[in-house]
Amino acid sequence: MKKIFISILMSAILTLNSCSKDDSTNDEPDVVDPPVTVVDPVTPQNVRTFMVDQNATDETVALFYNLRKLSQTKFAVGHQDAFNAFYGAGGNSDIKKTTGHDPALLGSDFMFITDKSNDGQASNWFFQQENKIIQDTKEAYSKGMINIFCWHLREPNNEDSFYASDMTSEQKNTAFRSIMPGGANHDWYKLKLDKVASVLSNLKDANNKLIPVIFRPFHEFDGSWFWWGANYCSPNEYKTVFQFTVDYLKNTKNVHNILYSFAPDNTYSTSSSYLSRYPGDGYVDVLGMDNYGDFNNQGTNGSNLANNKLKYLSDLAIEKKKIAALTETGYRVTNTTPPITNWFSTYLYDAMTKNNVQLAFVMFWNNGNGGYYVPTPSATNASDFNSFVIKPKVVLQNTLPNMYVLPN
């Protein structure tokens, strides 16, 4: 005990001496560690090696690189069907009407393009929608915007719906498996992909250059509202179809203007569970997540929960040298569902920026006659949206950098 006491006493004396007035007059400056500089391993010279399609067009490569770069400091704001909400009026986007500027990202859908009723005739409503989508995509690109496509593919039996609730039990349990290689509807699925490939291979700008798009097939697969949902296929079966989709478009159809997005809903709470149906780094450019539930009037707790999920998504993208994004979200305001105070400027913005989260973009779902996700100028939450878009990390079309040229 004596030895221990002496040791403690000497230590205390040394401590006091080190803090003495005489010592404080030491002219030697304190040593400050230099800031740690994190060097991004993805460069303009090697960026293709981190992409799904190493033969992608130059503009598609630039989009991948610049989305990653953008996410390190800011995020782009997008809107589904911004120029033409199919059941509402066209014209200027609602974001432009409210803020004075277009969104930085346009969301579109292959649904009408691949519909069984689309006969390619000028008088056909579905073909008219196909032409609208193509023209909107070209307009967005001409403005420097980013294009992203989802695909509400109708089930392969009757092609009437994409909702599992509209199918029989047998149809729900067999539909997705039937489009796998060797399945009864595999050739049907290839024909649908042929149409997607044809549209994308002819999607060109005024200079006859292919327009890059982000494609997120079979989204929200962790839920079971769609016929490709978790209750209707195993993880390996989901991976197989996703991988086939990419390989067929890239290698068989030689489509090279696509970035591929993996986009579940928000049910996952860990990195490992998020990756349970992940088809592999060789098949995914964008790690996405759709999340409505955590923002559905859940206040700060919901915002924090969303931020936790976006944090592991962001960390995974950094680790894998990919892009992270909130691929779909929103809070729908209707005549019976009022806006939530500060939903955009506080709850959503905090979820997307706290804890050093790095996200390339967020996309709101489309406005329609029955309700809206993005407020129009007369809406009571227009001021909240305007407060959101002037936040330091928010990018609309007018402040979006050139996404289609690699830096020197």
Side-chain angles (χ1 to χ4, degrees), residues 11-28:
S11 175
I13 292 170
L14 289 170
T15 301
L16 287 170
N17 286 340
S18 68
C19 298
S20 68
K21 184 177 179 181
D22 291 341
D23 235 25
S24 67
T25 61
N26 193 328
D27 290 335
E28 292 184 11

Side-chain angles (χ1 to χ4, degrees), residues 269-339:
S269 57
T270 65
S271 299
S272 58
S273 60
Y274 176 85
L275 295 173
S276 61
R277 291 177 179 245
Y278 184 66
D281 293 349
Y283 292 91
V284 175
D285 294 300
V286 180
L287 299 176
M289 176 177 283
D290 293 6
N291 193 343
Y292 294 88
D294 292 334
F295 296 107
N296 188 17
N297 209 11
Q298 304 300 310
T300 300
N301 289 338
S303 177
N304 290 339
L305 184 58
N307 176 253
N308 290 337
K309 295 173 183 178
L310 293 172
K311 174 61 175 173
Y312 72 69
L313 188 67
S314 168
D315 288 348
L316 275 173
I318 293 170
E319 173 192 334
K320 294 177 175 294
K321 317 300 184 294
K322 302 294 184 179
I323 299 158
L326 181 52
T327 40
E328 244 188 74
T329 194
Y331 183 77
R332 190 167 186 258
V333 177
T334 68
N335 289 334
T336 57
T337 306

Side-chain angles (χ1 to χ4, degrees), residues 16-52:
L16 287 170
N17 286 340
S18 68
C19 298
S20 68
K21 184 177 179 181
D22 291 341
D23 235 25
S24 67
T25 61
N26 193 328
D27 290 335
E28 292 184 11
D30 293 334
V31 176
V32 178
D33 291 332
V36 177
T37 302
V38 178
V39 178
D40 191 345
V42 181
T43 68
Q45 292 72 38
N46 69 10
V47 57
R48 288 179 183 273
T49 62
F50 299 98
M51 296 176 60
V52 171

